Structures are given as structure tokens and as C-alpha cells.
Amino acid sequence: MSMAMDINKIRNETLYCEDKIFLNSAGSSLSPTVVNEAVRHFLSEEETRGGYQVEEDRQHDINDFYHQAAILLNCKAENIAFAHDATDAYSKALSSIPFEAGDVIITSNDDYSSNQIQFLSLQNRYGIILHRINNLENGDIDLDHCKLLVEQHRPKLVAITHIPTNSGKVQDVKNIGELCADQQIIYLVDACQSVGQLSVDVQEIKCDFLSATGRKFLRGPRGTGLLYVSDRILNLGYAPLFIDGRGATWTAANQYKPADTALRFQMWEAPYAMLIGLAKAINYANQIGIKKIEGRNKQIMNHLRSKLAEIKEIKMYDRGSQLSNILTFRHIGLSVADIQKILDHHQVYCSISTREWGVIDFDKKGVESVIRLSPHYFNTIEEMDRVAQILSDVLSN
Ligand SMILES: Cc1ncc(COP(=O)(O)O)c(C=O)c1O
């Protein structure tokens, strides 16, 4: 039987979590002390010896980033590339696919806004055709429609966001992965909000690419991310369009040789202090155990959802059979800005999600903005009670 999580220890290792209720891990979370210390230490080493010397001296720790990410995602270190953020990882993956005019991309209504912009950009420049999978009445992705679209259009790519930024649903990336694997279709998963929040296993999902960011539920530094690249993609020889001297070697005047591993998707330069910080953050999650983190997250979130459901003026907007640690809501009588002011006043940290981050979803819901609360395992049940109390006190006045 697995041991319970030591919340006191975790909170002691999360400086400044006591003077506020931090509910913005979907934005940029609080890092464990070990992460911040590692970054500061690395920067001071660079200050003393210069970046190149430190990079050489700390190779072992730098390599640990790839090992930790591989443990977390259930792959080999060779399948991992460091990225500057999730979008950097994602666009490198997209740029490696040899699209031709008329090629089809299938995505969901809930895919991240920047991904949608990139598909539209591909459509404008190369004549790519974009199809979106319908949602069922309950908000879930319609798997039958997905199958139909795949059979009708033989897409070059299926691209699905695991957890959207603007609502708490979890999309069924596993069943879509089965379908893509059966049909040998390239499958790209945006796991920016799910990696670090719940168990994400690339073997189970059967994806070819998976992108994630460091600063959100992984609790790493800003300006970090990662890309998983499958062996199949590496063996196919796919490489980013704008590959550089890290991803390839210039072998003759008119020739270059791409790297054998996912380093093919990485740039020569990297902020190594931040990379080391991300390695520590992933190691921290691995030490606790991602299944435990997922369990605790569900417990906290079920509690918060049920507490807010008791407040009749509050309307939650998250739909789907599986919900995540992103909760979105509005109040019937107060504006989103007013609610945020009240939460700010009580040191409850959260964010506002607006229409441009999920045009299709927001238009369907008929709202322009919602408050987004995103607790993580270091939060407590008492904090969830407190937030519900703040909202019900203010609203009943
Ligand atoms: C679902 C999703 N994908 C991608 C991103 C982009 O991440 P980044 O800002 O690290 O590029 C975000 C950021 O909020 C997101 O929520």
C-alpha cells in the first residue's frame, strides 16, 4: 500500500505558500525550494566561471533533466528535448511534419488557442485543411466523430490538447491515440496542463509527440518546457524546419546530418540554470510519485467543486465526464473583475480566463470570461473551505 503524502513537509518545502492561498498552478505555480536553490546556485557558478565552463562541469546534472523527464513520461531519455516553453516544443514538432497543400489536420474544439493559430497559419500559407472533432452533449470529445473524420480524410496529423487552458475538462487522448496508432497517423498531444498534474504515459497514449511546459503543474521555472518525440518519428527522419547546430551537424558545404535522438528538436543555446531547475522540479514530482499527486489533486478538487456547488449564485463552467484541477466559474450577480478583486483582497491567487483563449468554447457557453482556480497537491482541504467561505460570505452580503 502506498504511503500518504506528507503535506506538512511539502508545504515547508514550498516557501510563501502560507501567507496566501495559491490557486494558479495552471498559470505559473510555486516552485519547491530545491528548484529555486538549484537555479540560484547554477547562476552563481556561471557568475564565477562563465557559462561554458559550468555547462561542462555540470554535464551530469544537465543530463539528469532528460532522465527525470523520461521517468515521468515513461520513455527513454533519448526521446526528450528541452524547449523554451510548451509552444516552442509544439511548433518544432509541427514544423517537422512535411505538410503539402491539401493535407488535413484534425483537432478538437478545445485545443489551445496558440495551436489553433498555428493550424490557421499553416492553412493560410500551405493550404492545409483543418477539421475539428465535435463534442458530445456532456462536453466530451465525440470519439465516433473522430473516427469518421479520420476515415473520411486520412489526416496527416491528429493534434489534441489533453487539458485545455480555459476549462477543466480532460480529453480522451488515450482512445484517440489507439485510433491513430491503428491507422499510422501522426499524433501530437499538447500536455501542457496535464504533465505534473496527473499521470501522463506516452506509451499508453501512443503519441508521436507530446509537449509540456515547466512552470505550471510541474512547478519548474519559467522559460522551460519539453518535447517528447517517439522512436517512430526519429526513425522517419523528421526534424524541425529550422534545425540548428544542436539538432544537426554541418557535414559538407551542402549537407547536414540530423542528430539521432530527440536532441534534433533542441536549439544549441539553452538557459542551463533553468533547465537544471526543471530537472529538480521533475525529480521532485518523481520522488513524491505522480500517481500520488494525481490522487491528492482529485481529492482537493472534488472537495472544492462540491463546496462551490453549494453556493447557488455560483455557476461552474467545466463540462466533461473527467474533470481536472482547473475550475472555472462566474457569479450570477457580480462581474468577474469584482470577484477577482474580492479574492485578491483575501490573498487568493487565481486568474481570469477570457474568450480569446478558447473562442469556440466561450462562444458555446455564451460568456466572455471566467475566473480560473487551479489548486495543486500542495494546497489543503482547509484552503478550499476557506475559499468557498470567502465566496459565500461576500456573495450573501
Ligand atoms: C493547454 C495549453 N497548451 C499550451 C500552452 C502554452 O504554454 P507555453 O506558454 O509554455 O508555451 C498553455 C499555456 O497556458 C496551455 O494551457
Side-chain angles (χ1 to χ4, degrees), residues 188-200:
L188 164 59
V189 173
D190 172 346
C192 184
Q193 294 289 3
S194 54
V195 170
Q197 181 191 149
L198 43 82
S199 170
V200 173

Side-chain angles (χ1 to χ4, degrees), residues 312-338:
K312 66 176 187 325
E313 294 87 354
I314 282 189
K315 179 165 183 207
M316 285 180 274
Y317 282 88
D318 311 304
R319 302 180 63 243
S321 56
Q322 202 194 333
L323 295 182
S324 77
N325 272 45
I326 292 179
L327 184 156
T328 57
F329 75 94
R330 288 175 66 93
H331 175 259
I332 291 170
L334 288 174
S335 72
V336 160
D338 283 343

Side-chain angles (χ1 to χ4, degrees), residues 26-27 84-88 112 114-115 161 163-166 190-193 212-216 224 357 372:
H84 299 275
D85 56 30
T87 309
D88 174 44
Y112 185 58
S114 304
N115 308 349
T161 291
I163 296 177
T165 199
N166 54 294
D190 172 346
C192 184
Q193 294 289 3
T213 207
R215 72 184 181 281
K216 298 179 187 288
T224 61
W357 298 105
R372 185 181 72 177

Side-chain angles (χ1 to χ4, degrees), residues 151-327:
E151 282 165 5
Q152 269 176 357
H153 300 287
R154 297 292 315 156
K156 187 84 154 227
L157 172 72
V158 172
I160 303 292
T161 291
H162 196 182
I163 296 177
T165 199
N166 54 294
S167 89
K169 79 171 58 165
V170 182
Q171 308 222 78
D172 187 351
V173 288
K174 192 164 166 281
N175 269 312
I176 298 176
E178 291 285 346
L179 179 65
C180 292
D182 276 356
Q183 312 261 343
Q184 304 252 308
I185 290 161
I186 301 167
Y187 184 34
L188 164 59
V189 173
D190 172 346
C192 184
Q193 294 289 3
S194 54
V195 170
Q197 181 191 149
L198 43 82
S199 170
V200 173
D201 179 331
V202 292
Q203 310 298 332
E204 233 179 56
I205 297 174
K206 299 196 161 109
C207 52
D208 290 299
F209 296 104
L210 184 134
S211 56
T213 207
R215 72 184 181 281
K216 298 179 187 288
F217 288 93
L218 271 178
R219 308 182 64 197
R222 294 196 70 174
T224 61
L226 62 87
L227 179 68
Y228 158 81
V229 186
S230 70
D231 286 340
R232 181 166 89 101
I233 290 293
L234 292 174
N235 292 336
L236 279 170
Y238 285 16
L241 181 57
F242 298 111
I243 193 166
D244 84 349
R246 169 78 62 204
T249 312
W250 193 24
T251 48
N254 292 316
Q255 259 177 8
Y256 65 88
K257 186 182 176 306
D260 292 332
T261 69
L263 281 184
R264 207 186 284 171
F265 288 78
Q266 196 172 308
M267 284 297 166
W268 195 85
E269 174 58 349
Y272 284 106
M274 303 301 153
L275 181 148
I276 292 275
L278 180 56
K280 292 283 179 204
I282 303 176
N283 180 40
Y284 194 80
N286 284 337
Q287 292 301 317
I288 295 172
I290 193 65
K291 291 255 182 289
K292 265 194 216 172
I293 290 175
E294 179 175 343
R296 163 97 184 159
N297 275 339
K298 285 197 173 129
Q299 186 198 7
I300 290 177
M301 218 45 205
N302 288 342
H303 191 80
L304 182 60
R305 282 189 199 284
S306 66
K307 282 301 212 184
L308 294 200
E310 289 168 12
I311 306 172
K312 66 176 187 325
E313 294 87 354
I314 282 189
K315 179 165 183 207
M316 285 180 274
Y317 282 88
D318 311 304
R319 302 180 63 243
S321 56
Q322 202 194 333
L323 295 182
S324 77
N325 272 45
I326 292 179
L327 184 156

